[in-house]
Coordinates of all heavy atoms in Angstrom, one line a residue:
Q25 N -57.1 3.1 -10.9 CA -56.3 2.3 -10.0 C -56.2 2.9 -8.5 O -55.7 2.2 -7.6 CB -54.8 2.2 -10.5 CG -54.8 1.4 -11.8 CD -53.4 1.3 -12.4 OE1 -52.5 0.7 -11.8 NE2 -53.1 2.0 -13.5
L26 N -56.9 4.0 -8.3 CA -57.0 4.6 -7.0 C -58.2 4.1 -6.3 O -58.4 4.3 -5.1 CB -57.0 6.1 -7.0 CG -55.7 6.8 -7.6 CD1 -55.9 8.3 -7.6 CD2 -54.5 6.4 -6.7
I27 N -59.1 3.4 -7.0 CA -60.3 2.9 -6.3 C -59.9 1.8 -5.3 O -59.1 0.9 -5.7 CB -61.3 2.3 -7.4 CG1 -61.9 3.4 -8.3 CG2 -62.4 1.5 -6.7 CD1 -62.7 3.0 -9.4
G28 N -60.4 2.0 -4.1 CA -60.1 1.0 -3.1 C -58.9 1.3 -2.2 O -58.7 0.7 -1.1
V29 N -58.2 2.4 -2.5 CA -57.1 2.8 -1.6 C -57.6 3.5 -0.4 O -58.7 4.0 -0.4 CB -56.0 3.7 -2.3 CG1 -55.5 3.0 -3.5 CG2 -56.7 5.0 -2.7
K30 N -56.8 3.5 0.7 CA -57.2 4.2 1.9 C -56.0 5.0 2.5 O -54.9 4.8 1.9 CB -57.8 3.2 3.0 CG -56.8 2.1 3.4 CD -57.6 1.2 4.3 CE -56.6 0.1 4.8 NZ -56.1 -0.8 3.8
A31 N -56.2 5.8 3.5 CA -55.2 6.6 4.0 C -53.9 5.8 4.4 O -54.1 4.7 4.9 CB -55.7 7.4 5.2
N32 N -52.8 6.3 4.0 CA -51.4 5.7 4.3 C -51.1 4.5 3.5 O -50.0 3.9 3.6 CB -51.3 5.3 5.8 CG -51.5 6.5 6.7 OD1 -51.0 7.6 6.4 ND2 -52.2 6.3 7.8
D33 N -52.0 4.2 2.5 CA -51.6 3.1 1.6 C -50.5 3.5 0.7 O -50.3 4.6 0.3 CB -52.8 2.7 0.7 CG -53.8 1.7 1.4 OD1 -53.5 1.3 2.5 OD2 -54.8 1.4 0.8
E34 N -49.7 2.5 0.3 CA -48.6 2.7 -0.7 C -48.9 1.7 -1.9 O -49.3 0.6 -1.7 CB -47.2 2.4 -0.2 CG -46.8 3.4 1.0 CD -45.4 3.1 1.5 OE1 -44.7 2.3 0.8 OE2 -45.1 3.7 2.5
K35 N -48.8 2.3 -3.1 CA -49.2 1.4 -4.2 C -48.4 1.9 -5.5 O -47.9 3.0 -5.6 CB -50.7 1.6 -4.5 CG -51.2 0.7 -5.6 CD -52.8 0.8 -5.6 CE -53.3 -0.2 -6.7 NZ -54.8 -0.1 -6.7
V36 N -48.2 0.9 -6.4 CA -47.5 1.2 -7.6 C -48.6 1.1 -8.7 O -49.2 0.1 -8.9 CB -46.4 0.2 -7.9 CG1 -45.8 0.5 -9.3 CG2 -45.3 0.3 -6.9
L37 N -48.7 2.2 -9.5 CA -49.7 2.3 -10.6 C -49.0 2.1 -11.9 O -47.9 2.6 -12.1 CB -50.4 3.6 -10.6 CG -51.0 4.1 -9.3 CD1 -51.8 5.4 -9.5 CD2 -51.9 3.1 -8.7
N38 N -49.6 1.3 -12.7 CA -49.0 1.0 -14.1 C -49.9 1.7 -15.1 O -51.1 1.4 -15.2 CB -49.0 -0.5 -14.3 CG -48.0 -1.2 -13.4 OD1 -46.8 -1.1 -13.6 ND2 -48.6 -1.9 -12.4
V39 N -49.3 2.5 -15.9 CA -50.0 3.3 -16.9 C -49.2 3.4 -18.2 O -48.0 3.1 -18.2 CB -50.3 4.8 -16.4 CG1 -51.2 4.8 -15.2 CG2 -49.0 5.5 -16.2
T40 N -49.9 3.8 -19.3 CA -49.3 4.0 -20.6 C -49.6 5.4 -21.0 O -50.8 5.7 -21.1 CB -49.7 3.0 -21.6 OG1 -49.4 1.7 -21.2 CG2 -49.1 3.3 -23.0
F41 N -48.6 6.2 -21.3 CA -48.9 7.6 -21.7 C -49.5 7.5 -23.2 O -49.1 6.7 -24.0 CB -47.6 8.4 -21.8 CG -47.2 8.9 -20.4 CD1 -46.3 8.2 -19.7 CD2 -47.7 10.1 -19.9 CE1 -45.9 8.7 -18.4 CE2 -47.3 10.5 -18.7 CZ -46.4 9.8 -17.9
P42 N -50.5 8.4 -23.5 CA -51.1 8.4 -24.8 C -50.1 8.7 -25.9 O -49.1 9.4 -25.6 CB -52.1 9.5 -24.7 CG -52.4 9.6 -23.3 CD -51.2 9.3 -22.6
A43 N -50.3 8.1 -27.1 CA -49.4 8.4 -28.2 C -49.2 9.8 -28.5 O -48.2 10.3 -29.0 CB -49.8 7.5 -29.4
D44 N -50.3 10.6 -28.3 CA -50.2 12.0 -28.6 C -49.9 12.9 -27.4 O -50.3 14.1 -27.4 CB -51.6 12.5 -29.3 CG -52.8 12.3 -28.4 OD1 -52.6 11.6 -27.3 OD2 -53.9 12.7 -28.7
Y45 N -49.3 12.3 -26.4 CA -49.0 13.1 -25.2 C -48.1 14.3 -25.5 O -47.3 14.2 -26.4 CB -48.4 12.2 -24.1 CG -48.3 12.8 -22.8 CD1 -49.4 13.0 -22.0 CD2 -47.0 13.1 -22.2 CE1 -49.4 13.6 -20.8 CE2 -47.0 13.6 -20.9 CZ -48.2 13.9 -20.2 OH -48.1 14.4 -19.0
N46 N -48.3 15.4 -24.8 CA -47.6 16.6 -25.2 C -46.1 16.6 -24.9 O -45.4 17.4 -25.4 CB -48.3 17.8 -24.5 CG -48.3 17.7 -23.0 OD1 -47.9 16.7 -22.5 ND2 -48.8 18.7 -22.4
A47 N -45.6 15.6 -24.1 CA -44.2 15.5 -23.8 C -43.7 14.4 -24.7 O -44.0 13.2 -24.5 CB -43.9 15.3 -22.4
E48 N -42.9 14.7 -25.7 CA -42.4 13.7 -26.7 C -41.7 12.5 -26.0 O -41.7 11.4 -26.4 CB -41.6 14.3 -27.7 CG -42.4 15.3 -28.7 CD -41.5 15.8 -29.8 OE1 -40.3 15.4 -29.9 OE2 -42.0 16.7 -30.5
N49 N -40.9 12.8 -24.9 CA -40.1 11.8 -24.3 C -41.0 10.8 -23.5 O -40.5 9.7 -23.1 CB -39.1 12.4 -23.4 CG -39.8 13.2 -22.2 OD1 -40.7 14.0 -22.4 ND2 -39.3 13.0 -21.0
L50 N -42.3 11.1 -23.3 CA -43.2 10.2 -22.6 C -44.3 9.6 -23.5 O -44.9 8.6 -23.1 CB -43.8 11.0 -21.4 CG -42.9 11.5 -20.4 CD1 -43.7 12.3 -19.3 CD2 -42.1 10.4 -19.7
A51 N -44.5 10.2 -24.7 CA -45.6 9.8 -25.5 C -45.5 8.3 -25.9 O -44.5 7.9 -26.3 CB -45.6 10.6 -26.8
G52 N -46.6 7.6 -25.6 CA -46.6 6.2 -25.9 C -45.8 5.3 -25.0 O -45.8 4.0 -25.2
K53 N -45.2 5.8 -24.0 CA -44.3 5.0 -23.1 C -45.1 4.4 -21.9 O -46.1 5.0 -21.4 CB -43.2 5.9 -22.5 CG -42.3 6.5 -23.5 CD -41.3 5.4 -24.0 CE -40.2 6.0 -24.9 NZ -39.3 6.9 -24.2

């Protein structure tokens, strides 16, 4: 989602943490 950004751009990225993420409070979220 960083492809195409340029200096001083502001953007909101939408992601999903992997189910096996090492922080339980974020895993799968």
Side-chain angles (χ1 to χ4, degrees):
Q25 295 179 67
L26 295 178
I27 292 176
V29 301
K30 57 185 184 299
N32 301 320
D33 276 358
E34 296 183 12
K35 187 173 183 178
V36 177
L37 310 184
N38 294 285
V39 297
T40 300
F41 282 96
D44 60 351
Y45 193 64
N46 57 356
E48 291 184 7
N49 63 313
L50 298 175
K53 297 285 184 67

